[in-house]
Amino acid sequence: MVDKGVKQRIRRKLEEAEIGSTILEMKNITKTFPGVVADNHVNFDLRKGEIHGLLGENGAGKTVLMSILYGLYKPDEGEIWVCGEKVNMKSPRDAIELGITMVHQRFALVKNITVLENIVLGTKTLKGVFIDEKTAEEKIRRLSDKFGLEIDPHSLVMDLSMGERQKVEILKALYRDSDILILDEPTTMITPQEEEALFETLQKMVKEGLSIIFISHKIPVVLRVTNRITVLRNGRVVAQVYTHETDEKDLAVKMVGREVLYRLPKVEVLRGKEVLRVEDLWAPGEEKGVFSLHGVSFTVHEGEIFGVAGVAGNGQKELVECIMGLRKPFKGKIYINGKDYTNKFTREIFDAGVAWIPDEKDRGVILDLSVAENMVMKTFYKPPYSKGLVFHEEECLRFADKVVREYDVKTAGVKAPVKTLSGGNIQRLIIAREFAANPKLLIAFNPTKGLDVNATEFTRRKILELRENKSAVLLVSMDLDEVMMLSDRIAVMYQGEIAGVVEAARAERSELGLMMTGAKKLDSSLWAS
């Protein structure tokens, strides 16, 4: 652990440091995991009163680097210096006591206790053996007012939106008098309005002398909020630039190694017959007596991408599970090409020409089976892979080899177990298998989650190709930009209901954001149909 006297000295230096002076240096940081070099001699520095963007693709080493700073990982090589003092982070406690706090992408909150209790958890705000609630509440309200983080300290966390939970995480850091705040992909789970409010809060924080490390793979967001940007690619620093001296195109080339198209061209496609109809769908949630879907209805047609936007946890998962036969609706109907498929087995739904990209990778593969076996998982009992009781392995291997090459799934071979693949390549495998089937209907749930920029662009192109080939696509994504880019019509889900359906060509982020928060609901007679 870092010596107590050293911690006190560093905290004093952080407080007294001048705006613009270097307060943190990470020198030649290297971290390896079995078969992977996550960070390779990385150098990074932070100045007082700045927002420093840490930009890179998924898997570039951003979160690992900051997890080392936060004491979650021990580096194989390298040094960390805070205000000219070398420190050895043994745990997050060391980091917190030095004034460094990390807000993770998945919030570390206890849902069934209050905001106040979450904020003081692990601190010494005690009165005897009890929490000094009055003193804690006064400090929380003072910080809330100062930084625009209005929240009721007595609310249960389970009742808060994702944006409100993020406020709680930031208040936890401020309550501990943090000087350095690490935000890991902070805009992933919030609405456009909450994103704007977050940016305002961050600007107030740096004006007060706090310093922020902003981890993201979203170039427009990083350009908007930061002062400087460090770009990581394959675990190495490839650039460090002032934000005002760069742009999207330049950063994309640095991040990926080539120019990236963030807006893909869409061919005009004449919408065909109805493929999927969901009628008045109600579904039970995880808690007894609570419904996660409340009368959801919509249609998806040939040559159409029907996007479903919304903050995670508003019924999207349950909707997809009902369509795929994985959850039994309380009432309502699901029709595919005019035939009732409500409560049918998943295999019957696949046989109807439906492809499925699940939100969680482990739902789409069997890890102990080979790449080839997973490629034919849905069709192994049909020709050309089987005839009667005879399985033709050579046909399976031939198909798998072709698709692996076409979709650039990085694997030691098609006979290798899927568990040896990285998360991104497992996602590629699932996408490859589902797209290769030329489906009549694709159910895509967060299809680019965990993919690098190249694979994301490739996947989105393939979805647009399905649309051009007259397939129907139900795109459920937490990435609002993705939904707006690909969709023809957009539905917004809020608390298990559809708050409205709009034509994508006329959709505005602000209007969608209001529907995502429940602040606006369109009359169903005005929905795009």
Side-chain angles (χ1 to χ4, degrees):
M1 292 184 63
V2 180
D3 179 80
K4 185 176 180 180
V6 173
K7 288 178 181 176
Q8 291 174 343
R9 190 163 63 245
I10 289 174
R11 291 304 297 264
R12 187 172 62 253
K13 286 183 177 181
L14 282 168
E15 187 176 336
E16 295 172 353
E18 294 182 1
I19 297 294
S21 63
T22 300
I23 56 173
L24 167 71
E25 292 178 281
M26 301 182 76
K27 301 179 179 180
N28 294 312
I29 300 294
T30 298
K31 180 64 180 176
T32 60
F33 297 99
V36 177
V37 181
D39 288 306
N40 194 342
H41 295 93
V42 172
N43 291 295
F44 177 85
D45 70 275
L46 180 68
R47 299 171 187 171
K48 182 162 182 173
E50 77 166 342
I51 302 176
H52 192 144
L54 193 54
L55 179 69
E57 299 182 70
N58 294 322
K62 310 182 301 293
T63 300
V64 172
L65 182 68
M66 289 300 107
S67 295
I68 289 170
L69 175 60
Y70 193 53
L72 289 168
Y73 294 140
K74 181 178 174 61
D76 301 327
E77 296 179 43
E79 299 172 348
I80 299 173
W81 294 73
V82 182
C83 288
E85 305 250 10
K86 184 179 175 181
V87 295
N88 183 15
M89 303 292 194
K90 294 287 188 180
S91 70
R93 179 182 287 270
D94 279 338
I96 292 168
E97 290 178 355
L98 285 170
I100 302 169
T101 306
M102 186 170 184
V103 177
H104 299 276
Q105 192 171 348
R106 293 180 180 273
F107 304 140
L109 299 172
V110 182
K111 294 180 182 178
N112 59 349
I113 64 175
T114 67
V115 167
L116 186 149
E117 289 166 334
N118 267 280
I119 289 172
V120 303
L121 199 62
T123 68
K124 296 179 180 178
T125 313
L126 299 176
K127 195 173 186 179
V129 294
F130 301 101
I131 294 172
D132 186 353
E133 193 169 307
K134 183 179 179 182
T135 302
E137 183 176 344
E138 287 175 357
K139 184 173 181 179
I140 291 167
R141 291 194 184 280
R142 188 166 65 252
L143 291 169
S144 297
D145 293 342
K146 185 175 184 178
F147 294 104
L149 295 165
E150 291 77 13
I151 200 86
D152 181 359
H154 301 292
S155 296
L156 289 175
V157 167
M158 68 175 65
D159 296 330
L160 303 181
S161 71
M162 288 299 176
E164 290 170 326
R165 293 181 192 187
Q166 187 178 70
K167 288 181 181 180
V168 178
E169 287 281 19
I170 294 173
L171 279 168
K172 277 172 60 179
L174 295 171
Y175 189 87
R176 288 160 173 75
D177 301 319
S178 296
D179 295 287
I180 297 172
L181 180 63
I182 307 164
L183 298 176
D184 190 3
E185 299 285 1
T187 62
T188 300
M189 303 284 284
I190 60 177
T191 67
Q193 283 81 2
E194 290 168 334
E195 188 176 284
E196 291 296 323
L198 171 65
F199 294 164
E200 289 180 16
T201 293
L202 297 186
Q203 293 302 328
K204 290 177 182 177
M205 290 168 69
V206 293
K207 284 179 182 177
E208 290 293 324
L210 279 79
S211 305
I212 297 165
I213 301 170
F214 192 100
I215 306 172
S216 184
H217 68 279
K218 296 180 178 180
I219 293 176
V221 171
V222 171
L223 280 170
R224 179 128 180 262
V225 76
T226 63
N227 304 107
R228 286 192 299 153
I229 302 167
T230 293
V231 184
L232 287 179
R233 187 166 81 229
N234 297 326
R236 291 181 180 272
V237 174
V238 294
Q240 188 176 97
V241 296
Y242 286 99
T243 304
H244 68 273
E245 294 177 350
T246 187
D247 57 27
E248 280 195 38
K249 183 178 178 181
D250 177 51
L251 287 175
V253 172
K254 288 179 169 64
M255 189 169 90
V256 184
R258 67 170 180 86
E259 188 175 348
V260 176
L261 291 177
Y262 284 95
R263 302 296 304 180
L264 296 175
K266 283 173 67 176
V267 175
E268 190 72 31
V269 176
L270 186 64
R271 194 170 73 172
K273 69 176 185 179
E274 176 186 293
V275 177
L276 173 67
R277 173 177 289 272
V278 175
E279 282 187 0
D280 193 28
L281 197 65
W282 293 70
E286 303 303 325
E287 296 180 37
K288 189 174 181 180
V290 176
F291 287 99
S292 55
L293 295 178
H294 302 261
V296 171
S297 299
F298 62 88
T299 61
V300 189
H301 296 251
E302 288 179 340
E304 176 184 42
I305 299 174
F306 186 86
V308 177
V311 177
N314 279 281
Q316 300 97 320
K317 174 174 175 282
E318 292 82 0
L319 171 64
V320 171
E321 288 181 350
C322 286
I323 294 171
M324 294 308 303
L326 299 169
R327 182 182 294 257
K328 186 174 182 179
F330 174 74
K331 71 171 182 175
K333 293 290 184 180
I334 298 164
Y335 297 94
I336 300 171
N337 286 320
K339 183 178 177 181
D340 187 354
Y341 275 85
T342 315
N343 289 324
K344 296 290 186 182
F345 290 115
T346 303
R347 178 182 278 193
E348 295 177 84
I349 294 164
F350 285 147
D351 287 343
V354 178
W356 175 44
I357 300 173
D359 183 41
E360 298 298 333
K361 300 176 187 70
D362 58 3
R363 300 194 78 172
V365 294
I366 299 176
L367 294 174
D368 288 327
L369 293 184
S370 70
V371 170
E373 288 166 331
N374 273 278
M375 279 290 185
V376 299
M377 182 190 297
K378 294 163 53 179
T379 52
F380 70 91
Y381 57 93
K382 299 178 180 178
Y385 312 116
S386 292
K387 188 174 182 180
L389 299 176
V390 180
F391 178 66
H392 299 296
E393 185 182 17
E394 66 279 3
E395 290 292 343
C396 166
L397 296 174
R398 188 178 298 116
F399 170 73
D401 185 65
K402 172 179 175 294
V403 176
V404 161
R405 282 187 281 105
E406 182 181 348
Y407 285 81
D408 194 27
V409 181
K410 292 179 174 60
T411 172
V414 295
K415 290 187 177 182
V418 165
K419 63 186 176 185
T420 63
L421 274 61
S422 69
N425 278 296
I426 291 175
Q427 184 78 337
R428 278 179 180 257
L429 184 154
I430 294 168
I431 290 167
R433 180 187 65 209
E434 300 304 308
F435 285 18
N438 295 315
K440 297 175 184 175
L441 169 65
L442 171 67
I443 311 293
F445 192 5
N446 288 327
T448 60
K449 178 181 175 182
L451 295 182
D452 60 29
V453 173
N454 286 317
T456 294
E457 183 185 295
F458 179 80
T459 302
R460 290 172 177 170
R461 284 186 185 277
K462 286 292 183 181
I463 290 174
L464 289 172
E465 284 178 16
L466 284 179
R467 169 182 173 271
E468 291 168 25
N469 292 329
K470 303 299 285 183
S471 294
V473 179
L474 174 64
L475 171 65
V476 182
S477 177
M478 306 306 116
D479 187 334
L480 182 57
D481 292 325
E482 180 169 78
V483 171
M484 293 183 73
M485 179 199 305
L486 298 180
S487 303
D488 296 291
R489 289 186 296 147
I490 300 173
V492 177
M493 289 194 71
Y494 177 71
Q495 293 189 348
E497 298 181 355
I498 290 185
V501 181
V502 297
E503 293 287 348
R506 294 196 292 272
E508 296 182 359
R509 283 180 65 87
S510 57
E511 181 185 36
L512 296 175
L514 289 172
M515 288 192 279
M516 287 165 69
T517 61
K520 181 175 183 178
K521 186 173 182 179
L522 299 182
D523 188 302
S524 59
S525 64
L526 302 176
W527 288 6
S529 58

